[in-house]
Amino acid sequence: MTDAVRSENRPEKRKRAISRRRFMADVARTACGVGLLGLGIGMFSRAGALPAMSIRPPGALPEEDFLSACTRCGLCVRDCPYDVLQLGGLGEQVPIGTPYFVAREKACVMCEDIPCVPVCPTGALDHDLTDINKARMGLAVVVDQETCIAFLGLRCEVCFNVCPVRGEAITVDRRPNPRSDRHALFIPVVHSDACTGCGLCEQACILEKSAIKVLPTHLAKGELGSHYRLGWDEKAKAGKSLVSPDLEHRYNLPEGMRYDHDGEGLMQEEPSPFEDDPLDTLNRGLDGGT
Amino acid sequence: MASYERLGADAIAVKGRLRAHKWLLLRRLSQVGILVLFLLGPWAGLWIIKGNLSSSLLLDSVPMTEPLVFLQMLAAGFVTPATTAITGVLIVAGFYLLVGGRAYCSWVCPVNMITDAANWLRQKLGIKPTTRFSHHVRYWMLAMVVLVALASGSMAYELINPVSLIHRGVIFGVGMTWAVILGVFLFDLFVTRRGWCSHVCPMGAAYGLIGKFSLLRVRADRREVCNDCMECFVVCPEPQVIQPALKGAERGIGPVIVAGECTNCGRCIDICSKDVFNFGTRFFK
Ligand code: SF4
Ligand code: SF4
Ligand code: SF4
Ligand code: SF4
Ligand code: SF4
């Protein structure tokens, strides 16, 4: 009797044991497969950093936050009236489906009402940005001072003239031109406290390849050590000199010497080649060598 | 067992060709129609709906956000989304709570047309199941998607999610989309029957979870006249969901197909020559 029961039960039991074993194996297989896939996706997601020439739309959160907030819906792309923005495609370096623009191709024209921002459903483009001048999409940098024709002594100032924040984001600084010794260089200088990173300057640069480029701010900016104090700032803050008494700087030089850094240091004063009366100077050497 | 050649012949004989494909045709109309609505904007400047399935804006006023995308956003650490996204996800989740979670799959998702096509070709060519794996893989996938977002701090799955890739690719004209379409098609054609949508896709899994509670359900209200032709099991993308409702009378199981995996596609209604199935609510009449 017991034998009969056992023989009836055994295959049943064994089958159950086998099916349980198979079930466990299936679960393990699934877990491993899906786990590996997850690992792959995770690593893939970390590998693709935003290339330096791809600029996020105005108001975009810092890249890390942006990648968690942007649903890749393209609504910002749709509401940009100038078709500046595009979505990252498959096989591109920009994380797939996220919005960006390439300044040299089509720069942001800094719409006053910033239509691309409020349409963003999640706030990946920060809705608190209401003044386009406060946007910080990147930072323009005159990256190549060897080809920028302003540095070569020509008057260009195209980047300065197209800048929507002209005079604040870009100024033109005059410097002496050492090549001619009597002309000025009109050098474009970008100021990070006002540049929005719109890229209009990069788009407009007249070179074959732009000498001024908008870069992501973290690439463009240096950072002083926190212990640095700027004397002139401190002085302004204090409203008086912090070194007292504040004396005019003076050199104590021997008679007939002067200090001129451009002439590379200590110089002998030379008597002027000019006569007091300019006519005498001009007439010099005309009357037979006397 | 119904043979593929004869599949639907009875239904056509009884109900006529049109009524035997009623829900299928309506479904295709819906899938194509939604795609066309999205395309009218970029192609004809008619902005009825803007964006893509991840987030969109209907008539410039009704926001919609995809629940799994929203979930990934939270998991990735962005827990303070603007109200638009919150409203959007509530609208979408609420809608599918009414019409059936995976109604998204059979009535909206563009991938469904690809996988249906693959399945059709698979039947034509008589390709037998090769690899077999569990229907539950998708829930593992769903967990993985959330975990990866949590660990990487970004919507990592959206980098490979074929639903987003294909829809965005078509609407925004992004290159290489054909490769994803081909990939899904070949996967379903050769790897396993209804491989992507009924086994792997975590998005379908998420809608399936909504479907567990959704109001509109398919019911086998006239199950007593079932003549065991088994054709519903053949056409159903999730055949396992039919069994309890259709055959559970003796075990006291109600006629409602309660499993969240049912896509509310209505193919079972179409194919049944005895009109066993119908749409209804999950509650007893
Ligand atoms: S500010 Fe204007 S031009 Fe610039 S990205 Fe936004 S919508 Fe486009
Ligand atoms: S609108 Fe916002 S969520 Fe949509 S793609 Fe643009 S940044 Fe991303
Ligand atoms: S990117 Fe160029 S044009 Fe735009 S604000 Fe900065 S300096 Fe001006
Ligand atoms: S299972 Fe996924 S791919 Fe298939 S129809 Fe549903 S959401 Fe689309
Ligand atoms: S049970 Fe019917 S409605 Fe549900 S998925 Fe299967 S065929 Fe479609």
Side-chain angles (χ1 to χ4, degrees):
Chain A
M1 168 68 197
T2 41
D3 266 354
V5 169
R6 218 184 267 157
S7 61
E8 261 174 35
N9 270 356
R10 248 210 213 122
E12 180 58 23
K13 222 185 209 169
R14 195 176 327 134
K15 216 191 277 164
R16 224 185 296 147
I18 289 176
S19 78
R20 192 185 311 131
R21 212 173 302 147
R22 183 171 305 149
F23 173 75
M24 297 303 283
D26 272 355
V27 167
R29 204 168 50 145
T30 308
C32 287
V34 173
L36 274 179
L37 182 65
L39 197 67
I41 299 172
M43 270 155 44
F44 179 43
S45 78
R46 311 245 72 182
L50 191 68
M53 67 284 183
S54 307
I55 307 295
R56 294 287 185 210
L61 300 175
E63 189 62 10
E64 288 266 304
D65 298 336
F66 186 79
L67 286 181
S68 63
C70 169
T71 66
R72 296 136 206 249
C73 66
L75 282 168
C76 52
V77 175
R78 291 299 190 217
D79 273 18
C80 171
Y82 299 96
D83 286 337
V84 168
L85 302 174
Q86 55 192 97
L87 293 182
L90 279 170
E92 280 172 30
Q93 268 185 305
V94 181
I96 297 168
T98 56
Y100 71 101
F101 67 92
V102 176
R104 186 63 165 168
E105 288 164 11
K106 217 168 197 187
C108 164
V109 301
M110 287 176 61
C111 311
E112 216 160 305
D113 51 343
I114 336 178
C116 51
V117 168
V119 77
C120 176
T122 63
L125 307 180
D126 192 347
H127 294 191
D128 289 342
L129 179 75
T130 48
D131 174 4
I132 188 65
N133 288 324
K134 299 225 166 80
R136 292 294 177 266
M137 296 170 259
L139 177 61
V141 184
V142 184
V143 283
D144 192 357
Q145 310 194 345
E146 292 174 338
T147 53
C148 169
I149 62 168
F151 286 83
L152 300 179
L154 297 170
R155 296 219 36 187
C156 174
E157 291 140 60
V158 166
C159 53
F160 166 77
N161 281 310
V162 299
C163 177
V165 214
R166 180 176 48 233
E168 291 168 48
I170 303 195
T171 51
V172 169
D173 286 12
R174 276 189 241 171
R175 294 180 201 161
N177 184 344
R179 232 183 311 273
S180 76
D181 205 18
R182 68 200 67 198
H183 298 97
L185 298 174
F186 292 77
I187 301 293
V189 178
V190 180
H191 305 277
S192 64
D193 56 349
C195 171
T196 64
C198 71
L200 283 168
C201 51
E202 177 176 345
Q203 187 185 16
C205 176
I206 57 112
L207 300 191
E208 295 293 316
K209 288 184 182 151
S210 186
I212 185 167
K213 292 192 170 86
V214 173
L215 300 176
T217 311
H218 71 276
L219 289 184
K221 280 298 282 180
E223 189 180 331
L224 271 177
S226 59
H227 59 285
Y228 278 77
R229 297 287 177 278
L230 303 180
W232 48 94
D233 280 353
E234 300 300 321
K235 183 173 169 184
K237 244 186 273 169
K240 62 176 173 48
S241 166
L242 299 172
V243 190
S244 54
D246 194 14
L247 295 177
E248 182 85 30
H249 184 75
R250 272 199 326 244
Y251 293 109
N252 295 311
L253 299 174
E255 193 71 23
M257 303 289 276
R258 69 192 164 89
Y259 190 84
D260 180 347
H261 191 69
D262 264 346
E264 315 261 326
L266 213 51
M267 318 266 290
Q268 184 91 47
E269 291 270 21
E270 279 169 40
S272 164
F274 300 107
E275 312 285 337
D276 286 342
D277 182 348
L279 279 179
D280 289 344
T281 311
L282 290 170
N283 289 333
R284 204 161 32 177
L286 281 186
D287 26 311
T290 45
Chain B
M1 192 73 191
S3 79
Y4 290 132
E5 292 74 50
R6 265 191 45 79
L7 194 63
D10 287 348
I12 292 171
V14 175
K15 306 196 269 193
R17 190 163 281 278
L18 197 64
R19 221 162 67 70
H21 293 91
K22 175 177 156 194
W23 294 110
L24 182 64
L25 290 173
L26 287 175
R27 220 152 61 71
R28 292 288 178 253
L29 203 67
S30 158
Q31 290 167 325
V32 174
I34 288 169
L35 216 50
V36 167
L37 279 187
F38 271 105
L39 283 170
L40 275 181
W43 287 4
L46 225 65
W47 295 103
I48 295 166
I49 191 161
K50 232 186 314 194
N52 59 44
L53 288 176
S54 300
S55 281
S56 55
L57 196 56
L58 181 66
L59 297 171
D60 267 323
S61 51
V62 185
M64 288 180 275
T65 290
E66 216 288 322
L68 184 57
V69 169
F70 189 83
L71 190 65
Q72 286 181 76
M73 176 182 71
L74 297 183
F78 190 66
V79 288
T80 52
T83 41
T84 320
I86 300 172
T87 319
V89 80
L90 289 178
I91 288 175
V92 172
F95 178 74
Y96 289 106
L97 269 177
L98 285 181
V99 304
R102 292 196 68 205
Y104 175 83
C105 296
S106 54
W107 293 80
V108 178
C109 181
V111 174
N112 176 266
M113 286 189 274
I114 303 163
T115 56
D116 270 0
N119 189 56
W120 175 82
L121 190 62
R122 203 180 157 87
Q123 289 183 354
K124 278 270 159 210
L125 301 179
I127 299 174
K128 292 272 163 287
T130 39
T131 327
R132 291 184 50 194
F133 48 97
S134 157
H135 284 111
H136 299 304
V137 170
R138 55 185 139 188
Y139 297 108
W140 289 84
M141 288 284 292
L142 182 57
M144 178 275 281
V145 165
V146 175
L147 279 178
V148 168
L150 209 66
S152 72
S154 77
M155 288 191 207
Y157 179 65
E158 290 307 298
L159 296 176
I160 64 154
N161 182 355
V163 182
S164 317
L165 289 182
I166 290 173
H167 194 256
R168 191 190 311 117
V170 171
I171 307 298
F172 284 83
V174 180
M176 298 275 292
T177 306
W178 58 268
V180 188
I181 295 179
L182 194 69
V184 173
F185 184 81
L186 293 180
F187 182 78
D188 264 34
L189 187 59
F190 293 118
V191 178
T192 194
R193 178 180 183 269
R194 299 227 175 249
W196 180 259
C197 292
S198 298
H199 293 80
V200 183
C201 178
M203 219 161 202
Y207 280 106
L209 295 182
I210 296 179
K212 279 198 194 315
F213 310 98
S214 65
L215 184 65
L216 186 72
R217 299 275 72 191
V218 171
R219 308 168 54 113
D221 275 335
R222 281 159 41 84
R223 54 187 169 181
E224 62 284 351
V225 303
C226 168
N227 63 359
D228 289 327
C229 73
M230 304 298 275
E231 294 201 350
C232 54
F233 287 93
V234 176
V235 292
C236 179
E238 304 278 351
Q240 77 280 6
V241 305
I242 298 180
Q243 160 75 23
L246 186 60
K247 298 293 169 195
E250 300 99 73
R251 284 177 285 153
I253 300 175
V256 181
I257 295 180
V258 286
E261 286 95 5
C262 166
T263 68
N264 276 8
C265 68
R267 273 303 275 152
C268 50
I269 306 177
D270 279 348
I271 204 79
C272 183
S273 59
K274 297 288 179 194
D275 274 336
V276 166
F277 299 97
N278 53 278
F279 278 118
T281 71
R282 70 163 51 244
F283 306 108
F284 260 127
K285 275 189 251 184

